[in-house]
């Protein structure tokens, strides 16, 4: 088994300050993880994060972190539009990579990174690892067992609402509490499909398998948002409805919208001829799965993150447990050679769905998907 994995955190924005850095600085990770470096282009932010979370070094420039940070791996927590270039630089520098969702914007970019990692014997873990959740595995089994009869269709998705504007790291008086959310609404990489619906797509494809083709309608519904006392022009589509064909006439409606939840959310609602699975309910009643404990799950919020294998002890009370879990999937893979099911190939297939949906919306033509996992 390898020594402690020295990790560099790329970006000291919301996901890092609320989740990644608090998790990775916990004492129970001693001997497994070393917080070696953090970088952020905002003046003073990396240094402030390093001081708060006990990181060895803070950098303003990403390239400097790769050159001088003495890291084995990086977790890329920058705006999504930067992920491809930053991931490529890390792999070229011989670093293993955890990508926060979404890994890249295009299939071509994802394929290039997958091939680069393979050529250099490096590991990629690409969030979100939705199929690490035992209730999703059980949902897949229940459908295969005929618990809801013949599966007809699925609904899933997410909406922006005002979630990002209202996060705890907005509107404060210092560099760690006044983080600008504008990128969520701008190209490249903004919009709810890449940022939120990606969870639902990882779940549904994990349960049903690879999709075959998509069609969609998409556009900007909220052209101006308010953030930090100013206006943000929205140019990334924030209102997208996708119809996904899984073959054999099984369809999924997936949403990434400006407002309004859809039944199923991140986990999906699965409608069959003899019933429905929606979240943790089979025909309205809780179904059993490994480690299910109603007393434990109820207060933990959506997603049942306490069920994730590394989310124990203090980690159950820190935000963004699923991101921490995915980072630890990479840590285990690097330290002891345990491969993760949170693969770049699965992430690429989800990217294929999103990229093809936008292309379908722009052209009015159904798009055939080209990837599997």
């Amino acid at each position: 088994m390898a020594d402690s994995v020295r990790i560099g955190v790329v970006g000291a924005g919301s996901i890092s300050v609320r989740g990644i850095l608090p998790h990775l600085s916990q004492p129970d990770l001693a001997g497994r993880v070393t917080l070696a470096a953090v970088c952020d282009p905002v003046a003073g932010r990396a240094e402030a994060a390093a001081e708060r979370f006990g990181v060895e070094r803070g950098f303003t420039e990403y390239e400097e972190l790769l050159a001088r940070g003495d890291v084995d791996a990086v977790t890329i927590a920058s705006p999504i539009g930067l992920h491809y270039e930053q991931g490529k630089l890390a792999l070229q520098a011989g670093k293993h990579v955890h990508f926060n969702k979404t890994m890249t914007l295009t299939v071509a970019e994802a394929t290039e990174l997958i091939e680069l990692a393979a050529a250099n014997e490096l590991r990629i873990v690409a969030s979100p690892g939705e199929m690490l959740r035992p209730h999703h595995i059980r949902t897949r089994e229940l459908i295969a067992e005929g618990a809801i009869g013949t599966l007809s269709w699925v609904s899933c998705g997410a909406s922006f609402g005002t979630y990002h504007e209202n996060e705890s790291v907005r509107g404060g008086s210092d560099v760690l509490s006044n983080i600008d959310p504008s990128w969520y609404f701008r190209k490249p990489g903004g919009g709810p499909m890449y940022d939120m619906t990606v969870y639902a797509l990882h779940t549904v494809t994990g349960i049903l398998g690879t999709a075959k083709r998509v069609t969609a309608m998409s556009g900007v519904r909220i052209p101006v948002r308010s953030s930090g006392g100013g206006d943000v022009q929205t140019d990334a589509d924030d209102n997208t409805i996708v119809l996904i064909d899984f073959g054999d006439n099984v369809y999924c409606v997936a949403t990434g919208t400006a407002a309004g939840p859809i039944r199923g959310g991140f986990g999906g609602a699965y409608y069959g001829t003899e019933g429905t699975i929606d979240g943790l309910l089979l025909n309205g009643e809780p179904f059993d799965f490994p480690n299910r404990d109603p007393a434990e799950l109820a207060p933990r919020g959506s997603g049942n993150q306490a069920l994730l294998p590394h989310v124990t002890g203090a980690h159950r009370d820190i935000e963004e447990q699923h991101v921490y879990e995915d980072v630890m999937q990479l840590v285990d893979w690097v330290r002891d050679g345990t491969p993760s099911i949170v693969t770049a190939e699965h992430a690429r297939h989800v990217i294929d769905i999103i990229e093809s949906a936008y292309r379908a919306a722009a052209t009015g033509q159904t798009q055939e998907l080209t990837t599997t996992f």
Side-chain angles (χ1 to χ4, degrees):
M1 183 175 290
D3 294 333
S4 178
V5 177
R6 295 179 58 81
I7 291 181
V9 179
V10 183
S14 175
I15 196 71
S16 291
V17 171
R18 295 184 299 107
I20 296 173
L21 289 164
H23 280 291
L24 297 185
S25 60
Q26 291 301 307
D28 67 326
L29 296 185
R32 290 188 288 166
V33 172
T34 299
L35 268 175
V38 60
C39 69
D40 195 283
V42 174
R45 182 167 287 157
E47 292 81 357
E51 181 177 359
R52 176 180 295 183
F53 297 105
V55 186
E56 291 181 0
R57 304 190 67 181
F59 298 95
T60 302
E61 300 294 333
Y62 173 57
E63 291 80 0
E64 191 176 10
L65 180 150
L66 292 177
R68 299 176 50 231
D70 188 21
V71 300
D72 305 308
V74 294
T75 172
I76 297 181
S78 55
I80 292 168
L82 301 175
H83 287 187
Y84 160 69
E85 290 290 349
Q86 291 180 335
K88 183 176 179 179
L89 287 172
L91 293 168
Q92 289 173 333
K95 314 302 181 185
H96 306 284
V97 183
H98 164 249
F99 286 95
N100 285 276
K101 44 81 185 171
T102 302
M103 181 173 68
T104 64
L105 299 180
T106 70
V107 168
E109 291 172 345
T111 297
E112 182 180 352
L113 296 184
I114 290 168
E115 292 175 351
L116 183 58
N120 291 280
E121 298 185 353
L122 296 167
R123 313 303 187 201
I124 293 176
V125 167
S127 290
E130 293 300 290
M131 294 310 293
L132 295 169
R133 305 176 190 272
H135 50 294
H136 290 334
I137 300 295
R138 185 59 184 144
T139 294
R140 184 170 63 194
E141 293 170 347
L142 287 168
I143 292 171
E145 292 166 3
I148 58 172
T150 300
L151 178 66
S152 176
W153 72 289
V154 183
S155 62
C156 69
S159 64
F160 259 166
T162 58
Y163 171 72
H164 287 302
E165 296 99 309
N166 294 332
E167 287 176 303
S168 60
V169 294
R170 316 296 183 196
S173 58
D174 62 76
V175 289
L176 296 181
S177 65
N178 63 3
I179 300 170
D180 183 0
S182 297
W183 76 266
Y184 289 104
F185 315 115
R186 307 301 305 274
K187 293 180 179 180
M193 290 296 294
Y194 284 119
D195 176 53
M196 301 180 80
T197 308
V198 61
Y199 291 98
L201 295 175
H202 269 264
T203 304
V204 172
T205 53
I207 289 171
L208 300 185
T210 55
K212 310 304 181 185
R213 58 182 182 150
V214 301
T215 193
M217 290 182 285
S218 185
V220 174
R221 183 60 182 154
I222 310 297
V224 180
R225 287 180 177 263
S226 298
S227 176
D231 289 339
V232 177
Q233 301 296 317
T234 302
D235 62 12
D237 285 10
D238 66 358
N239 222 36
T240 304
I241 309 292
V242 186
L243 181 61
I244 307 170
D245 179 3
F246 279 91
D248 200 23
N249 301 317
V250 174
Y251 306 118
C252 172
V253 175
T255 61
T257 53
I262 187 171
R263 188 175 181 186
F266 284 1
Y270 303 83
Y271 307 95
T273 56
E274 298 176 18
T276 299
I277 298 173
D278 186 358
L280 303 181
L281 302 179
L282 169 61
N283 296 328
E285 297 294 330
F287 61 84
D288 202 15
F289 52 87
N291 300 317
R292 178 179 176 271
D293 181 352
E296 172 66 25
L297 299 182
R300 299 297 175 183
S302 61
N304 302 290
Q305 300 196 57
L307 291 170
L308 294 168
H310 290 87
V311 179
T312 60
H315 299 284
R316 295 191 173 188
D317 297 314
I318 301 172
E319 294 182 62
E320 306 293 346
Q321 296 100 325
H322 62 290
V323 178
Y324 163 67
E325 176 60 44
D326 291 345
V327 174
M328 294 306 295
Q329 292 286 311
L330 180 62
V331 169
D332 287 351
W333 200 352
V334 172
R335 292 189 75 225
D336 60 25
T338 304
S340 175
I341 66 168
V342 190
T343 66
E345 289 79 8
H346 192 173
R348 177 175 59 183
H349 184 63
V350 169
I351 291 163
D352 194 0
I353 293 172
I354 298 172
E355 182 186 13
S356 298
Y358 284 140
R359 189 164 56 246
T363 63
Q365 297 179 339
T366 297
Q367 301 292 308
E368 300 290 331
L369 302 178
T370 61
T371 60
T372 61
F373 64 97

